[in-house]
Amino acid sequence: MRESKITNRNQIMCFLSCWKIIKGGILQSPNHQLLSDKEVEEMLRKYPELSDKFSEMDLEYRRYIQEVGSILLSDTDLREKLDILDNNDLSSGLIADELDKLKPELRSKLNEIKRAEIDRLLSRWRDLAKITDREPKGIVHLDTKNPHSFEADDLRYLLKATVDDLNKLDQMRRQAFKNHEMKKKMEEEERINAMGSEQRESYYTHKRNWAEIYRQREKQVRHPGSEEQLKDVWKHTDQMNFQDFNPTLFFRLHDMNNDGALDEHEVKALFIREISTLYKKEDPDFDPAEKEEEGERMREHFFSEADTDKDRMVTLHEFTSNLENLKTHETGWNSLFSRPFFTDEEFNAFMEKTIPAGNSIKTKLEGYRMNHIEM
C-alpha cells in the first residue's frame, strides 16, 4: 500500500516536471521525479496521519499522467513552440492550435490513452456499483464531454488536477503538523502537572528566556524572496560578490535541472540560511519537525507571492517581477514562534479524541489548565 502511495505523489510531480521541461524546451526523461521515494517515506514517517489521506485521495490519473507527459515530451517541435507561450495561454486557443499540429501518430496515441482511461474509469464505476450505493467521484482530470479524442481541454484539466492535488497534500501536511504540536502541548502539560512549585517556576523561566531568544532570532530573518534575502544567498551560498548581484543569473544558478522554472525543492533550498538562523540543533527544545515546517511555510509564502499563474512553478519572469514588487513593501518574517499553532477549541477537541473519557491523566490535565495561566 505504501509503495502505491509514494508512486501517486511521484507521478504528480513527474507530470509537472514534464510540463516544465516542455515549457523550457529541454528533453529529459519522462521518468524524472522531483520527489524521491526516500523523501516521501520520510514525510510519512514524520506524519503518519498522511498515510490514510494518501489512499483517500485516490489519484485516478497517476498512470495517465505519465503516459500523456511522455508523449508530449517526445515531440521536439511542440516543445519549442510551447517554450514561447506563457502558461496563461493554456486558457486561450493557442494551446489548441499547437496540439492540432502534433504529429498524427502522436495525436493518435493521445486519443488512445484517453479512451483507455475513460474505459478504465467506467469499468471501475460499474464494479463499484455492484458492491456499494456510494456515488462515484467525478472525473476532473480529463474532458468527458468528448470521450474520443485528446484536446486542449484535456491538457488544461490534467494540469489543474495535478496542481490541486499537490495543494491538498500541503493542506494535509499543515494539519499533520498541527496535530504534532497539539500532542507536544498535551505531553508538556502532563509533565508540568507532575512538577513541584519550584521546578515548575524554573521551567517557566526557561520558557520565557528561550521565547526571547527566538524573538531576537526572528528579527534577523529576511522576507523570503526579497532582494536582501537573495543577496545573502548569492554571497554566502553561491560565493559571488555582493555588489555583482544579478537576478537573472541567480535564477539560472538555482534552476538546478535547467528546466526554465523553479520547483518547490529548488525554492526551499533558497531559505536554508534563514531557517538555520531560527533553528539550531544544540537548542534544548530543538524539534526537527518545526524546522521542516518553517521551510514549508517559507516555500508556500514565496509561491503565494511569485507564482502568479498558480501552476506550482516560478518562471524567470515571475521571479524577477516578484523581486521588484517586494522592493516597495517587503517586510520581515513571522516565524512559527510568533503565531499560535492551534486554538483552544482545537486543542480541547484533540484531547477529547486522544485521551479516553474518564482517564485519570485527562482529568488531571483539565484541572491543571483551569488553575494555571497559559504561558
Side-chain angles (χ1 to χ4, degrees):
M1 176 65 75
R2 174 161 292 187
E3 181 179 356
S4 66
K5 294 167 187 173
I6 292 172
T7 302
N8 287 346
R9 174 77 188 225
N10 282 339
Q11 298 292 7
I12 298 175
M13 299 304 292
C14 173
F15 183 75
L16 288 183
S17 178
C18 288
W19 180 244
K20 288 171 62 183
I21 294 165
I22 292 169
K23 292 292 292 180
I26 300 172
L27 179 61
Q28 292 189 11
S29 166
N31 293 319
H32 174 70
Q33 296 176 344
L34 298 181
L35 193 66
S36 69
D37 289 359
K38 183 177 179 181
E39 289 172 312
V40 178
E41 285 281 9
E42 179 66 14
M43 182 173 67
L44 292 175
R45 184 189 66 78
K46 287 182 180 179
Y47 306 119
E49 298 92 339
L50 289 181
S51 182
D52 291 339
K53 294 293 185 180
F54 266 84
S55 58
E56 288 175 12
M57 287 175 64
D58 194 14
L59 305 179
E60 300 271 11
Y61 50 86
R62 57 187 182 274
R63 177 185 55 79
Y64 179 70
I65 286 173
Q66 190 172 30
E67 291 180 345
V68 170
S70 177
I71 290 175
L72 294 175
L73 282 173
S74 67
D75 188 282
T76 305
D77 292 338
L78 178 64
R79 291 199 315 274
E80 292 177 350
K81 291 173 182 176
L82 289 178
D83 186 33
I84 64 174
L85 298 180
D86 185 83
N87 283 341
N88 292 325
D89 291 325
L90 277 173
S91 301
S92 71
L94 292 177
I95 188 64
D97 291 341
E98 298 305 330
L99 283 176
D100 286 342
K101 299 173 185 176
L102 195 64
K103 295 176 182 178
E105 62 270 23
L106 296 181
R107 190 61 180 268
S108 178
K109 287 182 180 179
L110 284 176
N111 295 341
E112 291 175 8
I113 289 171
K114 178 180 176 179
R115 288 195 292 267
E117 176 70 355
I118 289 180
D119 288 344
R120 184 186 70 81
L121 290 170
L122 290 176
S123 176
R124 183 177 177 188
W125 281 11
R126 286 192 293 268
D127 293 340
L128 186 65
K130 296 176 182 178
I131 59 176
T132 179
D133 294 330
R134 186 179 53 164
E135 288 292 324
K137 296 179 181 179
I139 300 177
V140 297
H141 61 288
L142 49 76
D143 179 15
T144 56
K145 295 179 181 178
N146 171 22
H148 306 295
S149 61
F150 187 97
E151 305 294 342
D153 278 342
D154 292 294
L155 183 55
R156 282 193 284 267
Y157 290 162
L158 187 53
L159 286 167
K160 184 178 185 304
T162 57
V163 170
D164 285 349
D165 277 314
L166 286 173
N167 290 336
K168 289 178 185 177
L169 288 175
D170 274 333
Q171 184 179 6
M172 287 185 273
R173 187 210 78 243
R174 290 191 293 269
Q175 182 59 52
F177 177 74
K178 182 184 293 186
N179 291 344
H180 169 80
E181 290 297 318
M182 288 190 288
K183 182 180 179 182
K184 281 182 59 176
K185 177 65 173 177
M186 189 174 67
E187 293 172 346
E188 179 189 45
E189 290 195 357
E190 183 179 352
R191 291 195 304 271
I192 295 174
N193 181 57
M195 294 177 183
S197 58
E198 291 185 7
Q199 187 182 12
R200 186 178 296 130
E201 182 57 37
S202 176
Y203 181 76
Y204 285 155
T205 300
H206 165 85
K207 295 280 285 185
R208 285 191 292 268
N209 290 341
W210 275 99
E212 179 59 28
I213 290 173
Y214 287 132
R215 279 192 288 270
Q216 294 304 316
R217 288 180 182 177
E218 188 180 68
K219 293 179 181 179
Q220 303 174 44
V221 177
R222 288 145 291 213
H223 190 93
S226 66
E227 183 171 305
E228 185 183 14
Q229 187 265 315
L230 297 179
K231 281 184 175 180
D232 185 73
V233 177
W234 173 265
K235 178 180 179 180
H236 294 98
T237 302
D238 301 330
Q239 300 295 304
M240 306 288 279
N241 291 328
F242 190 83
Q243 63 271 21
D244 295 332
F245 177 73
N246 182 299
T248 300
L249 179 56
F250 182 95
F251 180 92
R252 301 299 184 196
L253 285 173
H254 292 272
D255 178 16
M256 302 302 293
N257 55 1
N258 298 315
D259 58 13
L262 299 180
D263 61 49
E264 59 184 56
H265 303 293
E266 292 164 340
V267 166
K268 279 180 64 177
L270 301 179
F271 310 133
I272 291 175
R273 284 180 53 79
E274 302 302 311
I275 297 168
S276 297
T277 298
L278 286 167
Y279 300 88
K280 304 181 186 301
K281 288 185 178 181
E282 60 269 23
D283 292 348
D285 297 327
F286 173 74
D287 184 345
E290 292 177 352
K291 181 179 180 179
E292 178 68 20
E293 180 64 14
E294 196 76 73
E296 297 291 357
R297 289 182 66 243
M298 287 187 178
R299 184 260 305 170
E300 286 186 289
H301 183 80
F302 176 81
F303 272 94
S304 72
E305 293 185 331
D307 183 19
T308 54
D309 59 8
K310 306 306 176 187
D311 65 350
R312 302 281 297 214
M313 298 169 283
V314 174
T315 63
L316 175 60
H317 175 71
E318 290 174 323
F319 178 80
T320 54
S321 295
N322 183 60
L323 194 57
E324 287 299 316
N325 291 336
L326 288 178
K327 286 182 179 180
T328 60
H329 65 272
E330 70 176 64
T331 60
W333 176 251
N334 294 322
S335 72
L336 290 169
F337 304 118
S338 61
R339 59 187 295 274
F341 299 129
F342 47 82
T343 65
D344 289 340
E345 292 76 13
E346 288 174 322
F347 183 67
N348 290 334
F350 181 79
M351 281 188 44
E352 288 289 337
K353 181 180 179 180
T354 305
I355 305 178
N359 186 287
S360 60
I361 294 178
K362 180 179 179 181
T363 303
K364 289 179 181 178
L365 289 182
E366 289 176 343
Y368 167 78
R369 297 182 75 232
M370 291 180 64
N371 292 286
H372 294 80
I373 299 175
E374 298 281 346
M375 286 289 295

